Amino acid sequence: MRRNCRLANTTLPPTTPRSTDAAEVTGGTVAAGVTGGTVAAEVTGGTDITEAQSQRLQMADIARLAGVSVATVSRALNGSPLISKDTRERVEELARSLNYAINVGAKNLRLKQNKTIAVVIPYDKVSRQHISDPFFLAMVGALADALTERGFDMLLSRVDADSLDSAARLYNSGLAIGIILIGQWRHHDQLNQLAARRVPIVVWGTQIPQQLYCTVGGDNVAGGALATQHLLDLGYRKIAFVGDPQLPEVAHRYRGHSEALATHGLTPDSALLVAVPFDADQARAGITRLVETGAAFDAVFACSDVLASAASQALHLCGRPVPQSVAVVGYDDIEWASHSNPPLTTVRQPIAIAGVELVDALLRTVAGVSVPPRSLAVELVVRSSTRTKVA
């Protein structure tokens, strides 16, 4: 049976972001005063001899191609005023072509000249996830806390996800000793290129094949399985999935969702896949279309709390209230998830722990340590948006 759903001008519940010590926003970058504390001893050293030899060899290659001495290359890449503009630009272009990058971060750590970490939130034109998204705000707050405890400053920047190389300028210019990037999106190759150039970067995301950079992230496969298994245990079998499986983290949540269905002899129904980015308006429209086409579903697993809240609003407008008609599970457990109507059952990501893990991983990377990807445990938080299915 088809339904007609009238979408009203609705808004998501008000958010209460975690407070940070952020200063003013200027030109897309925020300098946040989060100083205090001391840095761990393990990150005060320089690079190991293997990396130093490698850099020396690359510098010799640049010198040979540029027709200058190694000392001139070193001065040019360090911005010495003794080197002419033409020579400096020629050396810099050769350095870029050879994927050569000075370890500015390690040098600054040794000399105690810079204690600034860049936190970069890419803007993806497809996902359209705004910097004011409650998950981003919570993560920035956790990073600010972790950096404060270690005596570092935070430089918050927004860059175009299609041009992540611009994030490297924060490091290459010496503004920051390393980069924490929140969000993997569809730009795995760009991130690998940055890592290949020895730009110290750690990414909030999920581990994927042929990865050269370090990721820290929640266990997305386990999270997807937890959400779906909870719905299955309550008697639901026709579960709509809201999220874009083309995104690495969502793909892993969809995998967990599929694995949980398989334990009950079920397979994902492509008709119940609402493939939308992390955008509330698109989630509302997607759920509305699902209802209006007459698709049979009794539950929704949404890949963020924002998407889950948008889905709940659309269901209410379509005469299918939560949880009486449809059960809904979200993801992240952002602050207002417990205050939504009804309070949202969700998969909790360990945001505070994530902030610490991201900072520690980056400082170890800056110190020349090879840091493996880290997967953090997630947990299901049961609230009132789910209940045992009534026959």
Side-chain angles (χ1 to χ4, degrees):
M1 180 180 70
R2 294 177 177 270
R3 289 178 179 267
N4 291 318
C5 306
R6 181 176 60 85
L7 282 176
N9 291 326
T10 57
T11 58
L12 293 176
T15 64
T16 308
R18 295 178 56 177
S19 62
T20 66
D21 295 321
E24 60 182 302
V25 179
T26 307
T29 299
V30 181
V34 292
T35 55
T38 57
V39 63
E42 67 177 336
V43 299
T44 57
T47 58
D48 58 33
I49 188 65
T50 301
E51 182 177 349
Q53 289 174 336
S54 174
Q55 291 227 333
R56 184 72 180 176
L57 288 172
Q58 284 188 301
M59 192 175 289
D61 291 335
I62 295 169
R64 177 174 54 80
L65 292 170
V68 298
S69 68
V70 171
T72 297
V73 171
S74 178
R75 292 190 185 100
L77 292 175
N78 280 285
S80 171
L82 299 176
I83 306 301
S84 70
K85 179 182 177 182
D86 288 344
T87 299
R88 184 173 65 254
E89 290 179 349
R90 185 166 75 254
V91 167
E92 288 175 346
E93 179 59 34
L94 286 168
R96 280 192 292 272
S97 70
L98 292 173
N99 283 334
Y100 179 86
I102 301 174
N103 196 337
V104 178
K107 181 180 73 173
N108 282 335
L109 266 183
R110 287 197 302 274
L111 300 177
K112 298 182 179 179
Q113 291 178 334
N114 188 345
K115 302 196 77 177
T116 300
I117 300 293
V119 175
V120 175
I121 303 177
Y123 174 70
D124 185 270
K125 295 183 179 70
V126 177
S127 70
R128 303 202 306 174
Q129 195 171 11
H130 197 270
I131 196 170
S132 62
D133 182 282
F135 177 78
F136 282 158
L137 293 177
M139 183 62 77
V140 168
L143 288 168
D145 292 345
L147 288 167
T148 297
E149 291 173 357
R150 288 156 183 75
F152 283 82
D153 296 326
M154 179 172 69
L155 185 69
L156 180 61
S157 182
R158 183 75 150 157
V159 302
D160 188 334
D162 291 329
S163 304
L164 289 182
D165 188 65
S166 59
R169 295 175 194 151
L170 298 168
Y171 167 74
N172 293 332
S173 66
L175 285 173
I177 62 171
I179 299 166
I180 295 173
L181 189 137
I182 306 176
Q184 220 163 359
W185 310 115
R186 300 170 174 82
H187 306 291
H188 173 64
D189 290 341
Q190 285 193 69
L191 295 171
N192 266 347
Q193 289 171 12
L194 292 178
R197 287 165 48 195
R198 295 192 179 91
V199 174
I201 185 169
V202 173
V203 179
W204 171 261
T206 195
Q207 185 177 5
I208 53 182
Q210 288 82 52
Q211 180 174 301
L212 302 179
Y213 52 93
C214 172
T215 50
V216 174
D219 188 337
N220 292 288
V221 175
L226 278 173
T228 301
Q229 188 60 54
H230 171 64
L231 292 168
L232 291 167
D233 289 345
L234 294 176
Y236 299 95
R237 293 296 182 269
K238 297 183 181 298
I239 304 170
F241 183 94
V242 182
D244 183 0
Q246 295 300 312
L247 297 171
E249 289 177 280
V250 176
H252 280 206
R253 291 169 198 175
Y254 190 71
R255 178 177 143 196
H257 166 71
S258 302
E259 290 176 357
L261 288 174
T263 64
H264 288 255
L266 302 172
T267 57
D269 184 347
S270 60
L272 299 183
L273 173 60
V274 183
V276 296
F278 291 105
D279 180 79
D281 290 337
Q282 292 193 49
R284 275 190 288 266
I287 288 293
T288 298
R289 284 193 300 271
L290 198 63
V291 174
E292 291 181 339
T293 59
F297 66 100
D298 52 16
V300 171
F301 169 34
C303 281
S304 80
D305 292 341
V306 170
L307 296 182
S309 180
S312 296
Q313 291 171 355
L315 289 166
H316 176 76
L317 289 169
C318 291
R320 300 197 63 184
V322 176
Q324 294 87 347
S325 177
V326 180
V328 173
V329 177
Y331 208 100
D332 293 333
D333 195 27
I334 56 178
E335 187 166 346
W336 53 252
S338 62
H339 305 297
S340 62
N341 184 22
L344 187 62
T345 294
T346 185
V347 176
R348 176 180 291 161
Q349 300 226 63
I351 303 299
I353 295 173
V356 172
E357 292 287 344
L358 285 162
V359 170
D360 286 349
L362 180 65
L363 293 179
R364 287 166 62 83
T365 300
V366 168
V369 178
S370 178
V371 183
R374 178 80 192 276
S375 181
L376 307 178
V378 297
E379 62 179 312
L380 181 72
V381 180
V382 179
R383 299 192 180 100
S384 303
S385 66
T386 57
R387 69 179 188 182
T388 301
K389 183 177 179 181
V390 178

